[in-house]
Coordinates of all heavy atoms in Angstrom, one line a residue:
T1 N 0.8 -1.2 0.0 CA 0.0 0.0 0.0 C 0.9 1.3 0.0 O 2.1 1.2 0.2 CB -0.9 0.0 1.2 OG1 -0.1 0.1 2.4 CG2 -1.8 -1.2 1.3
M2 N 0.2 2.4 -0.2 CA 1.0 3.7 -0.3 C 1.7 4.0 1.0 O 2.8 4.5 1.0 CB 0.0 4.8 -0.6 CG -0.6 4.8 -2.0 SD 0.7 5.0 -3.2 CE 1.2 6.6 -2.9
S3 N 1.1 3.7 2.2 CA 1.6 4.1 3.4 C 2.4 3.0 4.2 O 2.9 3.3 5.3 CB 0.5 4.7 4.4 OG -0.4 3.7 4.6
Q4 N 2.4 1.9 3.6 CA 3.1 0.7 4.2 C 4.6 1.0 4.4 O 5.2 1.6 3.5 CB 3.0 -0.5 3.4 CG 3.3 -1.8 4.1 CD 2.7 -3.0 3.3 OE1 2.1 -2.8 2.2 NE2 2.8 -4.1 3.9
T5 N 5.2 0.7 5.6 CA 6.6 0.9 5.8 C 7.5 -0.1 5.2 O 7.6 -1.2 5.7 CB 6.9 1.1 7.4 OG1 6.4 -0.1 8.0 CG2 6.2 2.3 7.9
L6 N 8.0 0.2 4.1 CA 8.7 -0.8 3.2 C 10.0 -1.3 3.9 O 10.3 -2.5 3.9 CB 9.1 -0.1 1.9 CG 7.9 0.4 1.1 CD1 8.3 1.2 -0.1 CD2 6.9 -0.7 0.7
L7 N 10.8 -0.4 4.4 CA 12.1 -0.7 5.0 C 11.9 -1.4 6.4 O 12.4 -2.4 6.7 CB 13.0 0.5 5.1 CG 13.5 1.1 3.8 CD1 14.1 2.4 4.0 CD2 14.5 0.1 3.2
D8 N 11.0 -0.8 7.2 CA 10.7 -1.2 8.6 C 10.2 -2.7 8.5 O 10.5 -3.5 9.4 CB 9.8 -0.3 9.3 CG 10.4 1.0 9.6 OD1 11.7 1.2 9.5 OD2 9.7 2.0 10.0
E9 N 9.3 -3.0 7.5 CA 8.7 -4.3 7.4 C 9.6 -5.3 6.7 O 9.2 -6.4 6.5 CB 7.3 -4.2 6.8 CG 6.4 -3.4 7.7 CD 5.0 -3.3 7.0 OE1 4.5 -4.3 6.5 OE2 4.4 -2.2 7.1
G10 N 10.7 -4.8 6.2 CA 11.6 -5.7 5.4 C 11.1 -6.1 4.0 O 11.6 -7.0 3.4
L11 N 10.3 -5.2 3.5 CA 9.7 -5.5 2.2 C 10.8 -5.1 1.1 O 10.7 -5.6 0.0 CB 8.4 -4.7 1.9 CG 7.3 -5.2 2.8 CD1 6.1 -4.2 2.8 CD2 6.8 -6.6 2.4
I12 N 11.6 -4.1 1.4 CA 12.7 -3.8 0.5 C 14.0 -3.7 1.4 O 13.9 -3.4 2.5 CB 12.5 -2.5 -0.3 CG1 12.4 -1.3 0.6 CG2 11.3 -2.6 -1.2 CD1 12.4 0.1 -0.1
D13 N 15.1 -4.1 0.7 CA 16.4 -4.0 1.4 C 17.3 -3.1 0.6 O 16.8 -2.4 -0.3 CB 17.0 -5.4 1.5 CG 17.2 -6.1 0.1 OD1 17.1 -5.4 -0.9 OD2 17.4 -7.3 0.1
S14 N 18.5 -3.0 1.0 CA 19.4 -2.0 0.3 C 19.6 -2.3 -1.2 O 19.6 -1.3 -2.0 CB 20.8 -2.0 1.0 OG 21.4 -3.3 1.0
L15 N 19.7 -3.5 -1.6 CA 19.8 -3.8 -3.0 C 18.6 -3.4 -3.8 O 18.6 -2.8 -4.9 CB 20.1 -5.3 -3.2 CG 20.3 -5.8 -4.7 CD1 21.5 -5.0 -5.3 CD2 20.6 -7.3 -4.7
T16 N 17.4 -3.8 -3.2 CA 16.1 -3.4 -3.9 C 16.0 -1.9 -3.9 O 15.5 -1.3 -4.9 CB 14.9 -4.0 -3.1 OG1 15.1 -5.4 -2.9 CG2 13.6 -3.7 -3.8
T17 N 16.5 -1.2 -2.9 CA 16.4 0.3 -2.9 C 17.3 0.9 -4.0 O 16.9 1.8 -4.7 CB 16.9 0.8 -1.5 OG1 16.1 0.3 -0.5 CG2 16.8 2.4 -1.5
I18 N 18.5 0.3 -4.2 CA 19.3 0.8 -5.3 C 18.7 0.5 -6.7 O 18.7 1.4 -7.6 CB 20.7 0.1 -5.2 CG1 21.4 0.7 -4.0 CG2 21.5 0.3 -6.5 CD1 22.7 -0.1 -3.7
E19 N 18.1 -0.7 -6.9 CA 17.3 -1.0 -8.1 C 16.2 0.0 -8.3 O 16.0 0.5 -9.4 CB 16.8 -2.4 -8.1 CG 17.8 -3.5 -8.2 CD 17.2 -4.8 -8.1 OE1 16.4 -5.2 -9.0 OE2 17.4 -5.5 -7.1
L20 N 15.5 0.3 -7.2 CA 14.4 1.3 -7.3 C 14.9 2.7 -7.7 O 14.3 3.3 -8.5 CB 13.6 1.3 -5.9 CG 12.5 2.3 -5.8 CD1 11.4 2.0 -6.9 CD2 11.9 2.3 -4.4
I21 N 15.9 3.1 -7.1 CA 16.5 4.4 -7.4 C 16.8 4.5 -8.9 O 16.5 5.5 -9.5 CB 17.7 4.7 -6.5 CG1 17.3 4.9 -5.1 CG2 18.5 5.9 -7.1 CD1 18.5 4.9 -4.1
T22 N 17.5 3.5 -9.4 CA 17.8 3.4 -10.8 C 16.6 3.6 -11.7 O 16.5 4.3 -12.6 CB 18.6 2.1 -11.2 OG1 19.8 2.1 -10.3 CG2 19.0 2.1 -12.6
K23 N 15.6 2.8 -11.4 CA 14.3 2.8 -12.1 C 13.6 4.2 -12.0 O 13.1 4.7 -13.0 CB 13.4 1.7 -11.7 CG 13.9 0.3 -12.1 CD 12.9 -0.7 -11.8 CE 13.4 -2.1 -12.3 NZ 13.2 -2.3 -13.7
L24 N 13.6 4.8 -10.8 CA 13.0 6.1 -10.6 C 13.7 7.2 -11.5 O 13.1 8.0 -12.1 CB 13.0 6.5 -9.2 CG 12.1 5.7 -8.2 CD1 12.5 6.1 -6.8 CD2 10.7 5.9 -8.5
E25 N 15.1 7.1 -11.4 CA 15.8 8.1 -12.2 C 15.6 8.0 -13.7 O 15.4 9.0 -14.4 CB 17.3 7.9 -11.9 CG 17.7 8.4 -10.5 CD 19.2 8.3 -10.2 OE1 19.9 7.4 -10.7 OE2 19.7 9.1 -9.4
E26 N 15.5 6.7 -14.2 CA 15.2 6.5 -15.6 C 13.7 6.9 -16.0 O 13.5 7.6 -16.9 CB 15.4 5.0 -16.0 CG 16.8 4.6 -15.9 CD 17.0 3.1 -16.1 OE1 16.0 2.4 -16.2 OE2 18.1 2.6 -16.1
Q27 N 12.8 6.5 -15.1 CA 11.4 6.7 -15.4 C 11.0 8.2 -15.4 O 10.3 8.7 -16.2 CB 10.5 6.0 -14.4 CG 9.0 6.1 -14.5 CD 8.5 5.4 -15.7 OE1 8.9 4.3 -16.0 NE2 7.5 5.9 -16.4
F28 N 11.5 8.9 -14.4 CA 11.2 10.3 -14.2 C 12.2 11.3 -14.7 O 12.0 12.5 -14.6 CB 10.8 10.6 -12.8 CG 9.6 9.8 -12.3 CD1 9.7 8.6 -11.6 CD2 8.3 10.3 -12.6 CE1 8.6 7.9 -11.1 CE2 7.2 9.6 -12.1 CZ 7.3 8.4 -11.4
N29 N 13.3 10.8 -15.2 CA 14.4 11.6 -15.7 C 14.9 12.6 -14.6 O 14.9 13.8 -14.9 CB 14.0 12.4 -17.0 CG 15.2 12.9 -17.7 OD1 16.3 12.4 -17.6 ND2 15.0 14.0 -18.5
I30 N 15.2 12.1 -13.5 CA 15.6 12.9 -12.3 C 16.9 12.3 -11.8 O 17.4 11.2 -12.3 CB 14.6 12.8 -11.2 CG1 14.4 11.4 -10.7 CG2 13.3 13.5 -11.6 CD1 13.5 11.3 -9.4
N31 N 17.6 13.1 -10.9 CA 18.8 12.6 -10.3 C 18.6 12.6 -8.8 O 18.3 13.6 -8.2 CB 20.0 13.5 -10.7 CG 21.3 13.0 -10.1 OD1 21.5 11.8 -9.9 ND2 22.2 13.9 -9.8
I32 N 18.7 11.4 -8.2 CA 18.5 11.3 -6.7 C 19.9 11.4 -6.1 O 20.8 10.6 -6.4 CB 17.8 10.0 -6.3 CG1 16.4 10.1 -6.9 CG2 17.8 9.9 -4.8 CD1 15.6 8.8 -6.7
D33 N 20.2 12.4 -5.3 CA 21.5 12.7 -4.8 C 21.7 11.8 -3.5 O 20.8 11.3 -2.9 CB 21.6 14.2 -4.3 CG 21.3 15.1 -5.4 OD1 21.8 14.9 -6.5 OD2 20.5 16.1 -5.2
T34 N 23.0 11.7 -3.2 CA 23.4 10.9 -2.0 C 22.8 11.5 -0.8 O 22.4 10.7 0.2 CB 24.9 10.7 -1.9 OG1 25.5 12.0 -1.9 CG2 25.5 9.9 -3.0
D35 N 22.6 12.8 -0.7 CA 21.9 13.4 0.4 C 20.5 12.9 0.6 O 19.9 13.0 1.7 CB 22.0 14.9 0.3 CG 23.3 15.5 0.4 OD1 24.3 14.8 0.9 OD2 23.5 16.7 0.0
D36 N 19.9 12.5 -0.5 CA 18.5 12.0 -0.4 C 18.4 10.6 0.0 O 17.2 10.1 0.3 CB 17.8 12.1 -1.8 CG 17.8 13.5 -2.3 OD1 17.6 14.5 -1.5 OD2 18.1 13.7 -3.5
L37 N 19.5 9.9 0.1 CA 19.4 8.5 0.5 C 19.4 8.3 2.0 O 20.4 8.1 2.7 CB 20.7 7.7 -0.1 CG 20.9 7.9 -1.6 CD1 22.2 7.2 -2.0 CD2 19.7 7.4 -2.4
N38 N 18.2 8.3 2.5 CA 18.0 8.1 3.9 C 16.7 7.2 4.2 O 15.9 7.0 3.3 CB 17.9 9.4 4.7 CG 16.7 10.3 4.3 OD1 15.6 9.9 4.3 ND2 17.0 11.5 3.8
H39 N 16.6 6.7 5.3 CA 15.6 5.8 5.7 C 14.2 6.4 5.5 O 13.3 5.8 4.9 CB 15.7 5.4 7.2 CG 14.8 4.3 7.6 ND1 15.1 3.0 7.6 CD2 13.6 4.4 8.2 CE1 14.1 2.3 8.0 NE2 13.2 3.1 8.4
H40 N 14.0 7.6 5.9 CA 12.7 8.3 5.8 C 12.2 8.4 4.3 O 11.1 8.0 4.0 CB 12.8 9.7 6.4 CG 11.5 10.5 6.1 ND1 10.4 10.2 6.8 CD2 11.2 11.4 5.2 CE1 9.4 11.1 6.4 NE2 9.9 11.8 5.4
N41 N 13.1 8.8 3.4 CA 12.7 9.0 2.0 C 12.3 7.7 1.3 O 11.5 7.8 0.3 CB 13.9 9.6 1.2 CG 14.0 11.1 1.5 OD1 13.1 11.8 2.0 ND2 15.1 11.7 1.2
F42 N 12.8 6.6 1.8 CA 12.5 5.3 1.1 C 11.7 4.3 1.9 O 11.6 3.2 1.5 CB 13.8 4.7 0.6 CG 14.4 5.5 -0.6 CD1 15.3 6.5 -0.3 CD2 14.0 5.2 -1.9 CE1 15.8 7.2 -1.4 CE2 14.5 6.0 -2.9 CZ 15.4 7.0 -2.7
N43 N 11.1 4.8 3.0 CA 10.4 3.9 3.9 C 8.9 3.6 3.4 O 8.3 2.7 3.9 CB 10.4 4.3 5.3 CG 10.1 3.2 6.3 OD1 10.5 2.1 6.0 ND2 9.5 3.5 7.4

């Protein structure tokens, strides 16, 4: 669901997060900075 805690519930891990970031950058033509890589932003 939209509000489900992905990291806290173990639904995504660090490798999945990296794959997701790559797909997001490609899909939306954006750049996610290292400063953006935190638990809150991807939970």
Side-chain angles (χ1 to χ4, degrees):
T1 64
M2 291 295 298
S3 60
Q4 197 163 6
T5 53
L6 304 172
L7 294 167
D8 291 346
E9 294 180 42
L11 295 167
I12 62 173
D13 57 16
S14 56
L15 182 58
T16 307
T17 303
I18 291 170
E19 290 178 69
L20 177 59
I21 290 166
T22 302
K23 289 184 179 284
L24 291 170
E25 289 180 332
E26 291 171 358
Q27 179 74 35
F28 294 99
N29 196 28
I30 60 172
N31 184 30
I32 297 175
D33 303 316
T34 53
D35 291 345
D36 300 319
L37 305 179
N38 62 58
H39 186 89
H40 173 77
N41 284 343
F42 289 92
N43 201 32

